[in-house]
């Protein structure tokens, strides 16, 4: 498909270099959007991503060049044939997040990763004393478990709105607003006088807290170049697994020694401190938003309305963005075998993590007669497995780069991402079988405790490999594919707490654990299926990414000479 880089000068818009004519900021955007509306062809949008995580939902149409985000110019802008001055970063521009010092980029990385840790911590810390909640409000344990279920449901529905919001207004404002709402609604949880208040506020918290989980990957893409991002992404990926491991430990000891309400007060203090850190120390990192602000400032200072960004000229209408964010994930989930099977696999893995919150009390508290605090300590082995996977991430990435250079001339197919998955997939059923058959009440606690290590290691490696494979396979639609995975994963993760205790009581510890092990064992076939047949499957897909098509598109975009129109 041929993609033009220049746009016709609209007859209704004054020539941009006419210094005698100025528009108000609001009128400028209205006029630009109106005069370019006829150029938008959202049904055929095919944007070559600078980075899939950087654009959660494609907000530009097929005429978008995006040169301004990839090719710094010494002048600070690119003059197009229609007279517009496309604002860009300059070389070594201090306003470009990728040019910030490594120390500061790592500070930002650890800050946003700590948000994800805190959110995951908040989902699990309440499991430390759910029985006290049930007793306090005179409800069943299943009803008190809804404080976990509704929170995780929010993880699934929130991203559908917050991904496009981060593109409309930037990352910073989404962080500040959603985290602010989430912090506020922890307070009514702590002082709730009825179960209804507690459940409603937990749902609101889950939806609000889903925003950072949605856009943190984009923030890291804003900060780091491709070759540097592996370790940063591994750090972020570990946070959602570490939080649920630490949560039951803290919640167990708080519930054992004080009131269940203090679980929420501790969560408020912890997340409140992180929120203040984000408010005062993390600036905007989204390049299109930074350049949009710069263009606005230039128009105001110079009176020259020709300073624009491609996002000004080619932004999709909000309604179209919402439609894409809601519909495309469902289409990919139902029509793409790769997305469907990997989503099922990741949902199972995510569900297993939340199953442990309720299986551990059955095995250790009921079976081995441990108190809440020591039961929470059993999660340490899972956390150690997650940390080891984070330590191994640079070596895994180095292996990927080596294979790509040695065998594929620097352009490895997506299936190379599956090699770590093909190894780590066996760790989860091994850990589950050990957990199941060492859970007899008369046996020492060491067996089921240590079983968490291979599970935690397998969880994190599988998660990273699956995400990388999806992004590489669906670069132009990666955000929608990941949104489908996140939605289904969260719904399943929210559901499993409602039946885990009953399943263990009905089947017994050994066979309930074995059932989960057999399910994870069956899923081990998935990475092997795609490793050997993934390329063929992708060749039949109209959504999968093809490097050859991308090269062809760039060739046509630049008029067949391979040179840009700078």
């Amino acid at each position: 498909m041929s993609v033009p880089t220049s746009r016709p000068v609209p007859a209704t818009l004054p020539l941009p270099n006419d210094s005698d004519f100025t528009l108000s900021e609001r009128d400028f955007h209205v006029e630009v959007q109106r005069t370019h509306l006829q150029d938008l062809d959202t049904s055929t949008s095919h944007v070559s991503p600078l980075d899939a995580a950087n654009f959660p939902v494609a907000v530009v149409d097929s005429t978008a060049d995006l040169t301004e985000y990839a090719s710094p110019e010494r002048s600070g802008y690119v003059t197009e044939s229609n007279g517009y001055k496309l604002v860009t970063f300059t070389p070594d521009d201090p306003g470009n997040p990728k040019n910030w010092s490594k120390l500061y980029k790592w500070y930002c990385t650890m800050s946003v990763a700590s948000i994800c840790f805190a959110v995951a911590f908040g989902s699990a810390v309440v499991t430390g004393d759910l029985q006290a909640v049930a007793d306090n409000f005179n409800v069943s344990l299943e009803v008190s478990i809804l404080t976990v279920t509704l929170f995780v449901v929010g993880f699934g529905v929130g991203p559908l709105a917050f991904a496009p919001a981060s593109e409309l207004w930037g990352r910073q404002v989404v962080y500040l607003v959603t985290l602010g709402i989430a912090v506020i609604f922890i307070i009514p949880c702590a002082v709730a006088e009825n179960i209804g208040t507690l459940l409603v506020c937990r749902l609101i918290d889950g939806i609000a807290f889903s925003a950072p989980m949605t856009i943190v990957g984009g923030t890291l893409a804003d900060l780091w170049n491709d070759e540097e991002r592996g370790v940063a992404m591994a750090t972020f990926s570990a946070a959602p697994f570490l939080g649920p491991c630490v949560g039951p430990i803290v919640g167990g000891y708080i519930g054992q020694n004080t009131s269940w309400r203090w679980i929420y007060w501790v969560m408020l203090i912890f997340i409140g401190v992180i929120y203040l850190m984000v408010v005062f120390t993390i600036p905007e990192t989204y390049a299109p938003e930074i350049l949009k602000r710069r263009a606005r400032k230039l128009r105001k200072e110079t009176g020259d309305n020709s300073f624009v960004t491609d996002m000004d000229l080619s932004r999709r209408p909000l309604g179209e963005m919402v439609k894409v964010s809601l519909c495309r994930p469902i289409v990919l989930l139902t029509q793409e075998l790769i997305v469907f099977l990997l989503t099922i696999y990741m949902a199972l893995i995510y569900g297993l993590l939340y199953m442990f919150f309720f299986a551990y009390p059955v095995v250790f508290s009921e079976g081995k007669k441990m108190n809440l605090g020591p039961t929470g300590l059993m999660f340490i082995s899972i956390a150690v497995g997650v940390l080891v996977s984070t330590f191994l991430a640079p070596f895994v990435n180095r292996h990927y780069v080596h294979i790509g250079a040695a065998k594929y001339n620097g352009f490895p197919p997506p299936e190379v991402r599956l090699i770590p998955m093909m190894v780590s997939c066996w760790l989860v059923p091994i850990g589950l079988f050990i957990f199941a058959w060492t859970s007899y009440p008369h046996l020492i606690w060491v067996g089921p405790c240590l079983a968490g290590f291979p599970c935690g290691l397998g969880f994190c490696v599988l998660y990273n490999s699956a995400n990388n494979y999806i992004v590489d396979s669906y670069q132009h639609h990666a955000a929608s594919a990941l949104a489908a995975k996140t939605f289904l994963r969260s719904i399943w993760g929210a559901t499993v707490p409602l039946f885990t205790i009953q399943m263990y009581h009905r089947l017994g510890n050994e066979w309930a654990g074995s059932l989960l092990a057999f399910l994870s064992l069956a899923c081990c076939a998935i990475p092997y299926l795609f490793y050997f047949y993934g390329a063929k499957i992708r060749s039949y897909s109209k959504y999968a990414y093809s490097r050859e098509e991308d090269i062809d598109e760039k060739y046509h975009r630049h008029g067949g000479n391979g040179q840009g129109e700078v």
Side-chain angles (χ1 to χ4, degrees), residues 129-141 144 260:
D129 198 6
L130 289 172
Q131 188 60 55
V133 176
D135 295 340
N136 193 123
F137 296 121
N138 196 27
V139 296
S140 67
L141 179 61
S144 67
W260 65 267

Side-chain angles (χ1 to χ4, degrees), residues 152-225:
V152 180
V153 165
F155 282 178
V157 300
L160 300 178
F162 297 133
S166 72
E167 296 173 343
L168 280 174
W169 303 298
R171 320 282 194 208
Q172 188 180 38
V173 68
V174 176
Y175 279 129
L176 299 187
V177 173
T178 57
L179 281 174
I181 292 173
V183 169
I184 290 172
F185 275 89
I186 296 175
I187 299 174
C189 291
V191 299
E193 294 298 327
N194 56 72
I195 191 65
T197 300
L198 182 59
L199 296 181
V200 169
C201 291
R202 283 289 285 178
L203 175 61
I204 295 173
D205 268 341
I207 295 172
F209 274 135
S210 71
M213 303 291 278
T214 302
I215 63 176
V216 162
T219 299
L220 298 187
D222 298 338
L223 294 169
W224 300 96
N225 295 316

Side-chain angles (χ1 to χ4, degrees), residues 256-529:
Q256 182 178 318
N257 295 286
T258 59
S259 163
W260 65 267
R261 296 183 186 275
W262 266 102
I263 293 176
Y264 290 96
W265 290 123
V266 169
M267 182 166 57
L268 175 66
I269 295 169
F270 176 46
I271 299 178
V273 170
I274 293 176
Y275 175 67
L276 292 176
M277 178 178 65
V278 171
V279 168
F280 292 108
T281 64
I282 306 298
E284 180 60 63
T285 63
Y286 188 44
E289 176 63 22
I290 294 172
L291 292 179
K292 187 174 72 173
R293 295 176 184 178
R294 186 173 293 184
R296 182 189 303 130
K297 183 178 179 181
L298 286 170
R299 289 194 299 269
K300 183 177 180 180
E301 290 178 348
T302 65
D304 185 354
N305 288 321
S306 65
F307 287 105
V308 296
T309 71
D310 209 289
M311 306 297 276
D312 292 321
L313 302 176
S314 305
R315 185 187 296 276
R316 286 183 172 186
L318 178 60
E320 181 66 22
M321 292 175 63
V322 172
K323 180 182 177 182
V324 170
S325 66
L326 292 176
C327 297
R328 187 176 291 165
I330 297 174
V331 171
L332 292 175
L333 183 62
T334 56
Q335 297 184 11
E336 293 295 308
L337 183 64
I338 292 175
V339 177
F340 176 75
L341 289 181
L342 284 179
T343 296
I344 295 297
Y345 196 2
M346 292 304 102
L348 173 66
I349 295 301
Y350 195 69
L352 287 174
L353 182 62
Y354 279 87
M355 280 184 175
F356 281 154
F357 299 155
F358 303 93
Y360 271 41
V362 172
V363 171
F364 294 107
S365 296
E366 295 181 15
K368 303 185 186 298
K369 308 303 179 184
M370 288 184 175
N371 292 327
L372 293 175
T375 296
L377 290 176
M378 298 300 104
F379 285 89
I380 290 178
S381 62
I382 301 178
V384 172
V386 173
L387 291 174
V388 170
S389 73
T390 305
F391 172 77
L392 293 176
F395 300 98
V396 172
N397 189 66
R398 194 176 305 164
H399 177 259
Y400 168 78
V401 172
H402 172 73
I403 291 181
K407 291 186 176 181
Y408 302 102
N409 198 28
F411 297 97
E415 283 68 36
V416 176
R417 296 286 194 182
L418 295 172
I419 295 176
M421 199 175 186
M422 294 163 68
V423 176
S424 60
C425 66
W426 304 104
L427 296 175
V428 176
I430 288 172
L432 290 173
F433 277 122
I434 295 173
F435 181 75
W437 295 100
T438 59
S439 62
Y440 288 104
H442 63 274
L443 294 179
I444 192 172
W445 56 268
V446 174
C449 174
L450 294 182
F453 174 78
C455 288
L457 178 58
F459 287 167
C460 210
V461 176
L462 285 171
Y463 184 82
N464 289 335
S465 296
N467 279 353
N468 285 326
Y469 183 58
I470 289 175
V471 169
D472 285 1
S473 297
Y474 297 91
Q475 284 196 24
H476 301 100
H477 305 290
S480 295
L482 293 175
K485 179 184 70 68
T486 301
F487 175 74
L488 192 62
R489 181 198 72 182
S490 298
I491 297 302
W492 177 245
T495 303
V496 293
L498 298 176
F499 62 80
T500 299
I501 295 175
Q502 295 88 330
M503 180 178 71
Y504 267 78
H505 286 165
R506 288 283 184 89
L507 299 179
N509 297 348
E510 298 74 35
W511 285 108
S514 295
L515 174 62
L516 302 176
F518 282 122
L519 290 174
S520 64
L521 189 62
C523 288
C524 289
I526 293 176
Y528 289 87
L529 169 67

